[in-house]
Amino acid sequence: MTTINRTSSKSCFGGKVEFYKHSSSSCNCEMSFSIFIPQEASTENKLPVLYWLSGLECTEKNFMEKSGAQRCAAENSVIIVAPDTSPRGCNIEGEDESWDFGSSAGFYVNATQEKWKNHYNMYDYVVTELPKVIAANFPVNDKKSISGHSMGGHGAMMIAIRNPEEYYSVSAFAPICAPSLCPWGEKAFGGYLGDDKNTWKMYDSNCLVETATQKIPILIEMGACDPFRETQLHLETFHETCQKHEYPLTANIHEGYDHSYYFVASFIEKHIEYHAQHLRSLS
């Protein structure tokens, strides 16, 4: 069993928000995550988990501190787990030089390039390792859903499309919908995966929906005033691809909202309830 070390614990809406560190076999370094555990959770009453993936420049703290999701999660009996967004402190040359690559920008892929492949395996960490760590240490059942924001929205959608049998539902806030077509994604995929764009397709939701056989409905919220909407997020391109391949997508555009956590906090209750409904209806 992986040993986890609690670094902080705070009471919140009757439950607990806690922060942990542990040694990761996927990333070969110390990784961090936060968790919200509703008061009713116990070994006799195990609850489902919503995994939240955060965006560029974020850590395991941003969502727990800024989203206000805990009240609704407590009311709907859902545990929330939010991992850090990348390995850190791996002594890789250049890992801290850019805000959109390296530290805080793991992009939820398994790196293939020599410089990064021993540590930057966030796909394996989120899909396989972290759920095992959570199951071994907390009162969770086998039901899980996934959501995220920006780079984390990309990660949530991509992971769910690739593993539809593993998740009961998926949603995203301002996700990077077609990373192969935007500057953030091109930089990350080129750096972590190299020049082989067939490898890029494995981590690009816009490409994955073209070949998906088992389909999991996707819910997206986007701010109409998001400064990255046209250049980085490509929701319209993704929407067209989903329509062409009859992939179930609900996308809502909200006037007056941008890319910030003010936007996430405004609609997070809707998403918690969305996931809770799916987790209950498939019992």
Side-chain angles (χ1 to χ4, degrees):
M1 182 185 298
T2 300
T3 299
I4 62 173
N5 299 305
R6 187 172 66 190
T7 60
S8 178
S9 178
K10 302 291 184 181
S11 295
C12 186
F13 291 101
K16 293 287 186 180
V17 171
E18 298 184 335
F19 296 85
Y20 288 87
K21 295 183 180 295
H22 71 99
S23 178
S24 166
S25 58
S26 300
C27 298
N28 291 304
C29 66
E30 187 176 67
M31 291 295 293
S32 303
F33 66 87
S34 59
I35 185 169
F36 172 68
I37 310 169
Q39 184 177 25
E40 67 195 86
S42 68
T43 53
E44 293 77 28
N45 184 33
K46 296 183 178 182
L47 301 183
V49 183
L50 173 62
Y51 286 89
W52 173 271
L53 307 184
S54 291
L56 293 165
E57 297 190 285
C58 290
T59 70
E60 74 283 0
K61 295 181 179 180
N62 295 71
F63 181 77
M64 288 295 177
E65 294 177 346
K66 296 181 178 181
S67 71
Q70 293 90 342
R71 178 187 60 78
C72 193
E75 291 174 352
N76 285 278
S77 303
V78 174
I79 289 172
I80 301 176
V81 173
D84 199 354
T85 52
S86 76
R88 296 179 190 271
C90 298
N91 297 317
I92 303 171
E93 182 183 1
E95 65 182 350
D96 296 322
E97 290 182 358
S98 178
W99 68 273
D100 58 356
F101 186 78
S103 296
S104 80
F107 257 82
Y108 305 102
V109 304
N110 286 341
T112 60
Q113 297 305 287
E114 191 66 32
K115 185 176 179 179
W116 304 97
K117 68 180 185 180
N118 289 332
H119 297 288
Y120 277 67
N121 297 301
M122 289 299 293
Y123 178 87
D124 281 352
Y125 179 71
V126 171
V127 174
T128 303
E129 183 179 7
L130 183 58
K132 290 181 179 178
V133 171
I134 298 301
N137 291 279
F138 299 98
V140 301
N141 58 36
D142 59 357
K143 302 171 186 175
K144 59 182 185 286
S145 294
I146 191 165
S147 186
H149 172 230
S150 194
M151 177 186 71
H154 139 71
M157 295 196 311
M158 175 269 294
I159 285 170
I161 294 168
R162 285 183 59 171
N163 303 275
E165 72 285 350
E166 291 292 325
Y167 300 93
Y168 280 54
S169 53
V170 57
S171 72
F173 290 77
I176 303 171
C177 296
S180 297
L181 303 178
C182 75
W184 285 339
E186 290 175 344
K187 182 176 182 177
F189 285 4
Y192 297 134
L193 305 174
D195 296 330
D196 181 5
K197 293 194 176 181
N198 284 324
T199 305
W200 293 19
K201 292 179 181 180
M202 295 170 56
Y203 298 101
D204 188 319
S205 295
N206 193 55
C207 298
L208 290 169
V209 298
E210 295 178 353
T211 57
T213 53
Q214 184 178 341
K215 301 175 180 180
I216 179 170
I218 299 172
L219 172 64
I220 291 177
E221 312 294 337
M222 185 80 71
C225 299
D226 193 316
F228 306 113
R229 181 178 169 187
E230 300 298 329
T231 57
Q232 302 282 9
L233 306 182
H234 290 291
L235 175 59
E236 286 74 16
T237 298
F238 185 60
H239 185 265
E240 291 175 4
T241 303
C242 287
Q243 283 189 317
K244 180 179 178 181
H245 296 276
E246 298 182 338
Y247 201 98
L249 169 66
T250 300
N252 303 307
I253 307 297
H254 300 278
E255 294 297 329
Y257 288 91
D258 60 11
H259 198 75
S260 69
Y261 260 90
Y262 295 111
F263 163 60
V264 174
S266 297
F267 300 99
I268 191 63
E269 182 173 349
K270 169 185 175 182
H271 281 238
I272 297 294
E273 292 175 348
Y274 169 81
H275 291 295
Q277 182 178 17
H278 278 271
L279 291 162
R280 286 193 298 264
S281 65
L282 297 174
S283 300

